[in-house]
């Protein structure tokens, strides 16, 4: 999901869901999205092409272009369909920062379940209704703050970046070999790795990161 991008020309969301060109259409935009997501779930976003999606629908790529005019539109369609799975209910007694943390946790769960979303970055994007609903939830959480629209949208961008960073780490954890650590040259690192460094486990890093970053960006 991208922040701060605008599509050019008529949006895919403004067109009939069954297409508007050529003979009587055989598929709906929802059919195309489901077929593309099925490919992405099995082989990553690299497996998604107009030809591959057309094959899933037993049609041709040229026919598919009657519904979506570019791969960017296809990505927007996929992302918005996936974002339909985002679930969030606002809690009236939650402060704005706690509300954003809850939104972030729900979004991270969605990204981890569908890791192809992390690579779905269209060159030119026109967010759909479910994606726009996510933005609305974020802005509702910040409604109590006396900040400019720009400040709030910057915070939304930072929030999404943090979510994607942590979701990517969870989806593909990196194994680091510290075998070359020399206690004489790297005493602090060696102490951390051996567990002899002072300190105790801290609260969830994901939540702490969001609270620190957004609290700083939107501080009075």
């Amino acid at each position: 999901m991208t922040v701060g991008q605008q599509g050019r020309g008529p949006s895919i969301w403004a067109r009939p869901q069954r297409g508007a060109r050529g003979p009587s259409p055989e598929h709906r935009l929802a059919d195309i999205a489901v077929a593309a997501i099925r490919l992405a779930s099995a082989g990553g976003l690299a497996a998604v092409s107009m030809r591959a999606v057309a094959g899933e629908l037993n049609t041709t790529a040229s026919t598919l272009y009657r519904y979506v005019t570019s791969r960017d539109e296809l990505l927007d369609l996929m992302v918005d369909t996936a974002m339909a799975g985002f679930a969030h209910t606002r809690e009236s007694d939650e402060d704005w920062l706690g509300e954003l943390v809850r939104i972030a946790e729900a979004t991270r769960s969605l990204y981890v379940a569908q890791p192809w979303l992390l690579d779905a970055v269209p060159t030119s994007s026109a967010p759909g209704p479910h994606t726009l609903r996510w933005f609305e939830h974020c802005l509702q959480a910040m409604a109590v703050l006396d900040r400019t629209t720009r400040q709030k949208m910057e915070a939304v961008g930072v929030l999404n970046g943090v979510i994607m960073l942590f979701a990517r780490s969870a989806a593909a954890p990196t194994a680091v070999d510290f075998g070359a650590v020399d206690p004489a040259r790297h005493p602090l690192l060696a102490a951390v790795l051996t567990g002899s460094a002072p300190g105790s486990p801290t609260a969830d890093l994901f939540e702490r990161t969001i609270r620190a970053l957004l609290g700083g960006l939107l501080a009075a």
Side-chain angles (χ1 to χ4, degrees):
M1 177 171 49
T2 54
V3 176
Q5 295 177 319
Q6 295 181 344
R8 297 178 180 178
S11 166
I12 188 173
W13 312 109
R15 298 200 294 267
Q17 294 300 293
R18 285 186 175 273
R21 294 180 293 167
S24 178
E26 303 169 353
H27 304 289
R28 298 176 303 141
L29 292 179
D31 301 329
I32 297 171
V34 169
I37 289 174
R38 188 161 55 242
L39 288 169
S41 297
L45 206 59
V48 179
S49 66
M50 299 295 271
R51 185 181 299 276
V53 175
E56 283 286 301
L57 296 171
N58 295 315
T59 188
T60 63
S62 59
T63 298
L64 198 62
Y65 278 107
R66 288 166 43 201
Y67 304 88
V68 289
T69 62
S70 67
R71 193 168 187 270
D72 279 350
E73 280 197 349
L74 179 60
L75 291 176
D76 279 337
L77 191 59
M78 293 171 64
V79 169
D80 200 66
T81 300
M83 288 302 294
F86 172 76
H88 176 74
T89 302
R90 188 174 183 181
E91 294 187 357
S92 58
D93 60 343
E94 185 74 85
D95 62 42
W96 68 270
L97 193 48
E99 192 73 10
L100 287 175
V101 168
R102 292 178 58 244
I103 290 172
E105 289 172 341
T107 309
R108 178 176 60 164
S109 296
L110 182 66
Y111 284 177
V112 170
Q114 302 194 62
W116 60 267
L117 277 168
L118 299 170
D119 298 316
V121 184
T123 302
S124 179
S125 182
H130 296 109
T131 306
L132 294 176
R133 181 168 57 93
W134 182 87
F135 281 96
E136 188 71 11
H137 279 302
C138 293
L139 293 174
Q140 282 178 347
M142 292 183 282
V144 298
L145 298 176
D146 183 19
R147 302 294 178 271
T148 66
T149 301
R150 181 183 181 87
Q151 286 175 308
K152 291 181 179 181
M153 289 303 290
E154 286 175 346
V156 172
V158 169
L159 177 65
N160 190 54
V162 171
I163 295 168
M164 294 180 72
L165 175 65
F166 277 80
R168 193 178 296 278
S169 178
T174 302
V176 180
D177 183 357
F178 285 102
V181 171
D182 181 349
R185 297 175 61 190
H186 320 110
L188 299 179
L189 180 57
V192 169
L193 294 175
T194 59
S196 58
S200 57
T202 55
D204 179 69
L205 179 61
F206 181 61
E207 178 176 347
R208 285 190 293 117
T209 300
I210 292 171
R211 288 184 176 277
L213 287 175
L214 297 193
L217 280 175
L218 299 172

